[in-house]
Amino acid sequence: QVQLAESGGGLVQAGGSLRLSCAASGRTSNTMGWFRQEPGKEREFLASITWSGGTTSYADSVKGRFTISRDNAKNTAYLQMTSLKPEDTAVYYCAIRVGGSYKCWGQGTQVTVSS
């Protein structure tokens, strides 16, 4: 199966920016998505992108602030985050959509936004 690895998280001040990367072990034509989760809470959908990059989707909570993209030659998806808020603090995950479900979750990368 395809393995995914997230990176790029860190500690930033409110209003700052971060760029997350999701590297796949091999090429995939699947739709890819970004999610986040706080301890004890349900995983939250953030954004998705089709193989061609022609269709993207965003949750209302991040629309206008986050941008999803992908570089198929590098087998990598990205999440550019701007205007970060303390409520954006969470572990961020990427996954691929297989059938009707997202699968092949990575280990996640921590994003912490200070007030």
Side-chain angles (χ1 to χ4, degrees):
Q1 64 175 4
V2 174
Q3 293 181 310
L4 304 177
E6 302 92 342
S7 63
L11 174 63
V12 299
Q13 294 182 344
S17 301
L18 281 175
R19 189 193 192 200
L20 306 183
S21 297
C22 173
S25 61
R27 292 187 178 278
T28 175
S29 60
N30 300 68
T31 291
M32 301 188 70
W34 282 96
F35 297 75
R36 66 187 179 191
Q37 186 172 28
E38 296 182 73
K41 298 183 179 180
E42 296 183 350
R43 191 159 46 213
E44 176 189 10
F45 168 81
L46 299 177
S48 66
I49 185 169
T50 57
W51 173 81
S52 68
T55 302
T56 58
S57 181
Y58 296 93
D60 289 341
S61 61
V62 303
K63 187 174 296 183
R65 298 190 298 121
F66 292 8
T67 301
I68 188 172
S69 62
R70 66 191 296 168
D71 185 340
N72 292 331
K74 296 182 178 180
N75 303 323
T76 302
Y78 304 94
L79 186 68
Q80 178 66 51
M81 307 185 295
T82 61
S83 301
L84 285 165
K85 307 173 182 179
E87 51 263 44
D88 293 321
T89 296
V91 177
Y92 284 68
Y93 299 91
C94 64
I96 60 173
R97 192 163 70 191
V98 181
S101 303
Y102 281 92
K103 300 180 179 179
C104 302
W105 300 95
Q107 186 175 353
T109 185
Q110 177 72 46
V111 173
T112 303
V113 185
S114 62
S115 300

PDB file of all heavy atoms in Angstrom, residues 16 25 28-29 34-36 42 45-47 49 51-53 57-58 62 71-73 82 87 98 100 103 105 110 115:
ATOM      1  N   GLY A  16       0.915  33.994  11.662  1.00  0.00           N
ATOM      2  CA  GLY A  16       2.029  33.468  10.899  1.00  0.00           C
ATOM      3  C   GLY A  16       1.609  32.447   9.865  1.00  0.00           C
ATOM      4  O   GLY A  16       0.425  32.174   9.676  1.00  0.00           O
ATOM      5  N   SER A  25       4.965   7.290  -0.853  1.00  0.00           N
ATOM      6  CA  SER A  25       6.013   6.331  -1.188  1.00  0.00           C
ATOM      7  C   SER A  25       6.045   5.988  -2.664  1.00  0.00           C
ATOM      8  O   SER A  25       7.035   5.444  -3.159  1.00  0.00           O
ATOM      9  CB  SER A  25       5.839   5.051  -0.355  1.00  0.00           C
ATOM     10  OG  SER A  25       4.597   4.437  -0.637  1.00  0.00           O
ATOM     11  N   THR A  28       0.488   8.178  -7.060  1.00  0.00           N
ATOM     12  CA  THR A  28      -0.918   7.881  -6.837  1.00  0.00           C
ATOM     13  C   THR A  28      -1.769   8.864  -7.630  1.00  0.00           C
ATOM     14  O   THR A  28      -1.474  10.062  -7.675  1.00  0.00           O
ATOM     15  CB  THR A  28      -1.290   7.950  -5.347  1.00  0.00           C
ATOM     16  OG1 THR A  28      -2.698   7.765  -5.203  1.00  0.00           O
ATOM     17  CG2 THR A  28      -0.902   9.293  -4.739  1.00  0.00           C
ATOM     18  N   SER A  29      -2.795   8.355  -8.258  1.00  0.00           N
ATOM     19  CA  SER A  29      -3.723   9.199  -8.996  1.00  0.00           C
ATOM     20  C   SER A  29      -4.959   9.519  -8.169  1.00  0.00           C
ATOM     21  O   SER A  29      -5.887  10.147  -8.658  1.00  0.00           O
ATOM     22  CB  SER A  29      -4.129   8.532 -10.308  1.00  0.00           C
ATOM     23  OG  SER A  29      -4.756   7.283 -10.074  1.00  0.00           O
ATOM     24  N   TRP A  34      -6.236  16.693   3.354  1.00  0.00           N
ATOM     25  CA  TRP A  34      -5.610  17.089   4.612  1.00  0.00           C
ATOM     26  C   TRP A  34      -6.671  17.145   5.701  1.00  0.00           C
ATOM     27  O   TRP A  34      -7.786  17.646   5.474  1.00  0.00           O
ATOM     28  CB  TRP A  34      -4.933  18.450   4.502  1.00  0.00           C
ATOM     29  CG  TRP A  34      -3.607  18.430   3.810  1.00  0.00           C
ATOM     30  CD1 TRP A  34      -3.344  18.703   2.506  1.00  0.00           C
ATOM     31  CD2 TRP A  34      -2.347  18.117   4.411  1.00  0.00           C
ATOM     32  NE1 TRP A  34      -2.007  18.595   2.243  1.00  0.00           N
ATOM     33  CE2 TRP A  34      -1.368  18.226   3.396  1.00  0.00           C
ATOM     34  CE3 TRP A  34      -1.943  17.755   5.699  1.00  0.00           C
ATOM     35  CZ2 TRP A  34      -0.014  17.993   3.627  1.00  0.00           C
ATOM     36  CZ3 TRP A  34      -0.602  17.515   5.932  1.00  0.00           C
ATOM     37  CH2 TRP A  34       0.347  17.636   4.911  1.00  0.00           C
ATOM     38  N   PHE A  35      -6.297  16.648   6.881  1.00  0.00           N
ATOM     39  CA  PHE A  35      -7.165  16.634   8.046  1.00  0.00           C
ATOM     40  C   PHE A  35      -6.373  17.108   9.259  1.00  0.00           C
ATOM     41  O   PHE A  35      -5.145  17.165   9.227  1.00  0.00           O
ATOM     42  CB  PHE A  35      -7.698  15.221   8.318  1.00  0.00           C
ATOM     43  CG  PHE A  35      -8.559  14.651   7.229  1.00  0.00           C
ATOM     44  CD1 PHE A  35      -7.995  14.194   6.045  1.00  0.00           C
ATOM     45  CD2 PHE A  35      -9.925  14.558   7.391  1.00  0.00           C
ATOM     46  CE1 PHE A  35      -8.779  13.663   5.044  1.00  0.00           C
ATOM     47  CE2 PHE A  35     -10.728  14.023   6.395  1.00  0.00           C
ATOM     48  CZ  PHE A  35     -10.153  13.578   5.222  1.00  0.00           C
ATOM     49  N   ARG A  36      -7.078  17.415  10.337  1.00  0.00           N
ATOM     50  CA  ARG A  36      -6.404  17.729  11.592  1.00  0.00           C
ATOM     51  C   ARG A  36      -7.210  17.156  12.747  1.00  0.00           C
ATOM     52  O   ARG A  36      -8.410  16.926  12.638  1.00  0.00           O
ATOM     53  CB  ARG A  36      -6.195  19.232  11.776  1.00  0.00           C
ATOM     54  CG  ARG A  36      -7.471  20.043  11.948  1.00  0.00           C
ATOM     55  CD  ARG A  36      -7.149  21.526  11.945  1.00  0.00           C
ATOM     56  NE  ARG A  36      -8.334  22.354  12.082  1.00  0.00           N
ATOM     57  CZ  ARG A  36      -8.352  23.666  11.903  1.00  0.00           C
ATOM     58  NH1 ARG A  36      -7.233  24.317  11.574  1.00  0.00           N
ATOM     59  NH2 ARG A  36      -9.482  24.347  12.052  1.00  0.00           N
ATOM     60  N   GLU A  42     -12.654  14.495  17.416  1.00  0.00           N
ATOM     61  CA  GLU A  42     -12.785  13.834  16.127  1.00  0.00           C
ATOM     62  C   GLU A  42     -11.910  14.499  15.077  1.00  0.00           C
ATOM     63  O   GLU A  42     -11.633  15.692  15.142  1.00  0.00           O
ATOM     64  CB  GLU A  42     -14.250  13.840  15.672  1.00  0.00           C
ATOM     65  CG  GLU A  42     -15.185  13.048  16.563  1.00  0.00           C
ATOM     66  CD  GLU A  42     -16.604  13.027  16.043  1.00  0.00           C
ATOM     67  OE1 GLU A  42     -16.903  13.778  15.098  1.00  0.00           O
ATOM     68  OE2 GLU A  42     -17.413  12.257  16.570  1.00  0.00           O
ATOM     69  N   PHE A  45     -11.987  17.361   8.574  1.00  0.00           N
ATOM     70  CA  PHE A  45     -11.584  17.546   7.184  1.00  0.00           C
ATOM     71  C   PHE A  45     -11.211  18.992   6.930  1.00  0.00           C
ATOM     72  O   PHE A  45     -11.909  19.913   7.365  1.00  0.00           O
ATOM     73  CB  PHE A  45     -12.716  17.137   6.245  1.00  0.00           C
ATOM     74  CG  PHE A  45     -12.495  17.557   4.815  1.00  0.00           C
ATOM     75  CD1 PHE A  45     -11.691  16.807   3.976  1.00  0.00           C
ATOM     76  CD2 PHE A  45     -13.088  18.701   4.316  1.00  0.00           C
ATOM     77  CE1 PHE A  45     -11.484  17.189   2.657  1.00  0.00           C
ATOM     78  CE2 PHE A  45     -12.892  19.099   3.005  1.00  0.00           C
ATOM     79  CZ  PHE A  45     -12.086  18.334   2.175  1.00  0.00           C
ATOM     80  N   LEU A  46     -10.118  19.205   6.195  1.00  0.00           N
ATOM     81  CA  LEU A  46      -9.657  20.550   5.891  1.00  0.00           C
ATOM     82  C   LEU A  46      -9.724  20.878   4.404  1.00  0.00           C
ATOM     83  O   LEU A  46     -10.247  21.926   4.017  1.00  0.00           O
ATOM     84  CB  LEU A  46      -8.218  20.748   6.369  1.00  0.00           C
ATOM     85  CG  LEU A  46      -7.967  20.598   7.863  1.00  0.00           C
ATOM     86  CD1 LEU A  46      -6.477  20.743   8.147  1.00  0.00           C
ATOM     87  CD2 LEU A  46      -8.773  21.621   8.641  1.00  0.00           C
ATOM     88  N   ALA A  47      -9.156  20.003   3.578  1.00  0.00           N
ATOM     89  CA  ALA A  47      -9.066  20.297   2.152  1.00  0.00           C
ATOM     90  C   ALA A  47      -8.779  19.034   1.363  1.00  0.00           C
ATOM     91  O   ALA A  47      -8.229  18.067   1.889  1.00  0.00           O
ATOM     92  CB  ALA A  47      -7.968  21.329   1.885  1.00  0.00           C
ATOM     93  N   ILE A  49      -7.795  17.591  -2.948  1.00  0.00           N
ATOM     94  CA  ILE A  49      -7.379  17.961  -4.295  1.00  0.00           C
ATOM     95  C   ILE A  49      -7.356  16.732  -5.180  1.00  0.00           C
ATOM     96  O   ILE A  49      -6.887  15.666  -4.773  1.00  0.00           O
ATOM     97  CB  ILE A  49      -5.996  18.666  -4.268  1.00  0.00           C
ATOM     98  CG1 ILE A  49      -5.615  19.174  -5.659  1.00  0.00           C
ATOM     99  CG2 ILE A  49      -4.923  17.732  -3.706  1.00  0.00           C
ATOM    100  CD1 ILE A  49      -4.399  20.090  -5.654  1.00  0.00           C
ATOM    101  N   TRP A  51      -6.299  14.484  -8.698  1.00  0.00           N
ATOM    102  CA  TRP A  51      -4.996  14.176  -9.277  1.00  0.00           C
ATOM    103  C   TRP A  51      -4.474  15.312 -10.146  1.00  0.00           C
ATOM    104  O   TRP A  51      -3.286  15.662 -10.073  1.00  0.00           O
ATOM    105  CB  TRP A  51      -5.073  12.887 -10.097  1.00  0.00           C
ATOM    106  CG  TRP A  51      -3.808  12.599 -10.861  1.00  0.00           C
ATOM    107  CD1 TRP A  51      -2.668  12.034 -10.380  1.00  0.00           C
ATOM    108  CD2 TRP A  51      -3.564  12.879 -12.244  1.00  0.00           C
ATOM    109  NE1 TRP A  51      -1.722  11.944 -11.376  1.00  0.00           N
ATOM    110  CE2 TRP A  51      -2.242  12.451 -12.531  1.00  0.00           C
ATOM    111  CE3 TRP A  51      -4.330  13.442 -13.265  1.00  0.00           C
ATOM    112  CZ2 TRP A  51      -1.679  12.582 -13.792  1.00  0.00           C
ATOM    113  CZ3 TRP A  51      -3.761  13.562 -14.536  1.00  0.00           C
ATOM    114  CH2 TRP A  51      -2.458  13.132 -14.781  1.00  0.00           C
ATOM    115  N   SER A  52      -5.319  15.875 -10.986  1.00  0.00           N
ATOM    116  CA  SER A  52      -4.899  16.938 -11.896  1.00  0.00           C
ATOM    117  C   SER A  52      -4.728  18.281 -11.193  1.00  0.00           C
ATOM    118  O   SER A  52      -4.121  19.197 -11.749  1.00  0.00           O
ATOM    119  CB  SER A  52      -5.906  17.094 -13.026  1.00  0.00           C
ATOM    120  OG  SER A  52      -7.136  17.590 -12.543  1.00  0.00           O
ATOM    121  N   GLY A  53      -5.275  18.389  -9.999  1.00  0.00           N
ATOM    122  CA  GLY A  53      -5.248  19.653  -9.290  1.00  0.00           C
ATOM    123  C   GLY A  53      -6.328  20.607  -9.736  1.00  0.00           C
ATOM    124  O   GLY A  53      -6.405  21.743  -9.242  1.00  0.00           O
ATOM    125  N   SER A  57     -11.295  21.398  -2.715  1.00  0.00           N
ATOM    126  CA  SER A  57     -12.399  21.602  -1.799  1.00  0.00           C
ATOM    127  C   SER A  57     -11.840  22.002  -0.438  1.00  0.00           C
ATOM    128  O   SER A  57     -10.804  21.475  -0.019  1.00  0.00           O
ATOM    129  CB  SER A  57     -13.236  20.330  -1.674  1.00  0.00           C
ATOM    130  OG  SER A  57     -14.326  20.513  -0.801  1.00  0.00           O
ATOM    131  N   TYR A  58     -12.512  22.929   0.240  1.00  0.00           N
ATOM    132  CA  TYR A  58     -12.042  23.423   1.524  1.00  0.00           C
ATOM    133  C   TYR A  58     -13.162  23.479   2.542  1.00  0.00           C
ATOM    134  O   TYR A  58     -14.314  23.768   2.206  1.00  0.00           O
ATOM    135  CB  TYR A  58     -11.461  24.831   1.386  1.00  0.00           C
ATOM    136  CG  TYR A  58     -10.228  24.921   0.527  1.00  0.00           C
ATOM    137  CD1 TYR A  58     -10.327  25.221  -0.823  1.00  0.00           C
ATOM    138  CD2 TYR A  58      -8.965  24.710   1.073  1.00  0.00           C
ATOM    139  CE1 TYR A  58      -9.199  25.303  -1.619  1.00  0.00           C
ATOM    140  CE2 TYR A  58      -7.831  24.798   0.285  1.00  0.00           C
ATOM    141  CZ  TYR A  58      -7.947  25.096  -1.056  1.00  0.00           C
ATOM    142  OH  TYR A  58      -6.814  25.177  -1.845  1.00  0.00           O
ATOM    143  N   VAL A  62     -11.222  26.992   7.082  1.00  0.00           N
ATOM    144  CA  VAL A  62      -9.908  27.329   6.547  1.00  0.00           C
ATOM    145  C   VAL A  62      -9.971  27.985   5.179  1.00  0.00           C
ATOM    146  O   VAL A  62      -8.934  28.422   4.662  1.00  0.00           O
ATOM    147  CB  VAL A  62      -9.001  26.087   6.480  1.00  0.00           C
ATOM    148  CG1 VAL A  62      -8.862  25.453   7.850  1.00  0.00           C
ATOM    149  CG2 VAL A  62      -9.544  25.075   5.466  1.00  0.00           C
ATOM    150  N   ASP A  71       2.290  18.089  -6.321  1.00  0.00           N
ATOM    151  CA  ASP A  71       3.295  17.955  -7.362  1.00  0.00           C
ATOM    152  C   ASP A  71       3.424  16.474  -7.632  1.00  0.00           C
ATOM    153  O   ASP A  71       4.101  15.760  -6.901  1.00  0.00           O
ATOM    154  CB  ASP A  71       4.624  18.558  -6.915  1.00  0.00           C
ATOM    155  CG  ASP A  71       5.672  18.554  -8.018  1.00  0.00           C
ATOM    156  OD1 ASP A  71       5.540  17.780  -8.978  1.00  0.00           O
ATOM    157  OD2 ASP A  71       6.637  19.338  -7.913  1.00  0.00           O
ATOM    158  N   ASN A  72       2.762  16.006  -8.672  1.00  0.00           N
ATOM    159  CA  ASN A  72       2.726  14.574  -8.950  1.00  0.00           C
ATOM    160  C   ASN A  72       4.098  14.014  -9.331  1.00  0.00           C
ATOM    161  O   ASN A  72       4.370  12.837  -9.098  1.00  0.00           O
ATOM    162  CB  ASN A  72       1.711  14.281 -10.051  1.00  0.00           C
ATOM    163  CG  ASN A  72       0.289  14.539  -9.604  1.00  0.00           C
ATOM    164  OD1 ASN A  72      -0.034  14.418  -8.420  1.00  0.00           O
ATOM    165  ND2 ASN A  72      -0.575  14.895 -10.542  1.00  0.00           N
ATOM    166  N   ALA A  73       4.955  14.834  -9.909  1.00  0.00           N
ATOM    167  CA  ALA A  73       6.299  14.383 -10.255  1.00  0.00           C
ATOM    168  C   ALA A  73       7.107  14.060  -9.006  1.00  0.00           C
ATOM    169  O   ALA A  73       8.015  13.232  -9.044  1.00  0.00           O
ATOM    170  CB  ALA A  73       7.016  15.433 -11.091  1.00  0.00           C
ATOM    171  N   THR A  82      -1.840  30.164   6.041  1.00  0.00           N
ATOM    172  CA  THR A  82      -1.559  31.552   6.362  1.00  0.00           C
ATOM    173  C   THR A  82      -2.574  32.059   7.372  1.00  0.00           C
ATOM    174  O   THR A  82      -3.605  31.437   7.602  1.00  0.00           O
ATOM    175  CB  THR A  82      -1.598  32.437   5.105  1.00  0.00           C
ATOM    176  OG1 THR A  82      -2.905  32.391   4.526  1.00  0.00           O
ATOM    177  CG2 THR A  82      -0.583  31.965   4.075  1.00  0.00           C
ATOM    178  N   GLU A  87      -6.714  28.465  17.381  1.00  0.00           N
ATOM    179  CA  GLU A  87      -7.616  27.339  17.201  1.00  0.00           C
ATOM    180  C   GLU A  87      -7.200  26.404  16.072  1.00  0.00           C
ATOM    181  O   GLU A  87      -7.799  25.346  15.882  1.00  0.00           O
ATOM    182  CB  GLU A  87      -9.061  27.810  16.975  1.00  0.00           C
ATOM    183  CG  GLU A  87      -9.205  28.856  15.885  1.00  0.00           C
ATOM    184  CD  GLU A  87      -9.255  30.266  16.439  1.00  0.00           C
ATOM    185  OE1 GLU A  87      -8.448  30.585  17.328  1.00  0.00           O
ATOM    186  OE2 GLU A  87     -10.111  31.053  15.984  1.00  0.00           O
ATOM    187  N   VAL A  98      -9.678   6.318  -1.235  1.00  0.00           N
ATOM    188  CA  VAL A  98      -9.830   5.044  -1.919  1.00  0.00           C
ATOM    189  C   VAL A  98     -11.301   4.654  -1.842  1.00  0.00           C
ATOM    190  O   VAL A  98     -11.820   4.387  -0.752  1.00  0.00           O
ATOM    191  CB  VAL A  98      -8.960   3.942  -1.290  1.00  0.00           C
ATOM    192  CG1 VAL A  98      -9.135   2.636  -2.054  1.00  0.00           C
ATOM    193  CG2 VAL A  98      -7.503   4.365  -1.275  1.00  0.00           C
ATOM    194  N   GLY A 100     -14.841   5.276  -1.285  1.00  0.00           N
ATOM    195  CA  GLY A 100     -15.526   6.316  -0.555  1.00  0.00           C
ATOM    196  C   GLY A 100     -14.879   6.723   0.748  1.00  0.00           C
ATOM    197  O   GLY A 100     -15.451   7.524   1.501  1.00  0.00           O
ATOM    198  N   LYS A 103      -7.754   6.709   3.318  1.00  0.00           N
ATOM    199  CA  LYS A 103      -6.918   5.658   3.867  1.00  0.00           C
ATOM    200  C   LYS A 103      -5.443   6.045   3.796  1.00  0.00           C
ATOM    201  O   LYS A 103      -5.092   7.107   3.304  1.00  0.00           O
ATOM    202  CB  LYS A 103      -7.151   4.343   3.120  1.00  0.00           C
ATOM    203  CG  LYS A 103      -8.579   3.829   3.170  1.00  0.00           C
ATOM    204  CD  LYS A 103      -8.729   2.523   2.412  1.00  0.00           C
ATOM    205  CE  LYS A 103     -10.152   2.004   2.485  1.00  0.00           C
ATOM    206  NZ  LYS A 103     -10.318   0.738   1.727  1.00  0.00           N
ATOM    207  N   TRP A 105      -3.221   6.768   6.190  1.00  0.00           N
ATOM    208  CA  TRP A 105      -2.894   7.931   7.014  1.00  0.00           C
ATOM    209  C   TRP A 105      -1.420   7.930   7.394  1.00  0.00           C
ATOM    210  O   TRP A 105      -0.842   6.884   7.683  1.00  0.00           O
ATOM    211  CB  TRP A 105      -3.736   7.933   8.288  1.00  0.00           C
ATOM    212  CG  TRP A 105      -5.200   7.971   8.031  1.00  0.00           C
ATOM    213  CD1 TRP A 105      -6.054   6.905   7.965  1.00  0.00           C
ATOM    214  CD2 TRP A 105      -5.999   9.129   7.803  1.00  0.00           C
ATOM    215  NE1 TRP A 105      -7.333   7.330   7.710  1.00  0.00           N
ATOM    216  CE2 TRP A 105      -7.334   8.695   7.605  1.00  0.00           C
ATOM    217  CE3 TRP A 105      -5.725  10.497   7.752  1.00  0.00           C
ATOM    218  CZ2 TRP A 105      -8.378   9.585   7.361  1.00  0.00           C
ATOM    219  CZ3 TRP A 105      -6.765  11.374   7.507  1.00  0.00           C
ATOM    220  CH2 TRP A 105      -8.071  10.919   7.314  1.00  0.00           C
ATOM    221  N   GLN A 110       2.751  18.017  14.054  1.00  0.00           N
ATOM    222  CA  GLN A 110       2.158  18.922  15.035  1.00  0.00           C
ATOM    223  C   GLN A 110       2.278  20.371  14.595  1.00  0.00           C
ATOM    224  O   GLN A 110       3.359  20.839  14.229  1.00  0.00           O
ATOM    225  CB  GLN A 110       2.832  18.744  16.394  1.00  0.00           C
ATOM    226  CG  GLN A 110       2.335  19.700  17.478  1.00  0.00           C
ATOM    227  CD  GLN A 110       0.942  19.367  17.953  1.00  0.00           C
ATOM    228  OE1 GLN A 110       0.633  18.208  18.226  1.00  0.00           O
ATOM    229  NE2 GLN A 110       0.086  20.379  18.051  1.00  0.00           N
ATOM    230  N   SER A 115      -0.773  32.462  21.081  1.00  0.00           N
ATOM    231  CA  SER A 115      -1.562  33.687  21.095  1.00  0.00           C
ATOM    232  C   SER A 115      -0.670  34.912  21.056  1.00  0.00           C
ATOM    233  O   SER A 115       0.478  34.888  21.504  1.00  0.00           O
ATOM    234  CB  SER A 115      -2.448  33.739  22.335  1.00  0.00           C
ATOM    235  OG  SER A 115      -3.333  32.647  22.370  1.00  0.00           O
TER     236      SER A 115
END
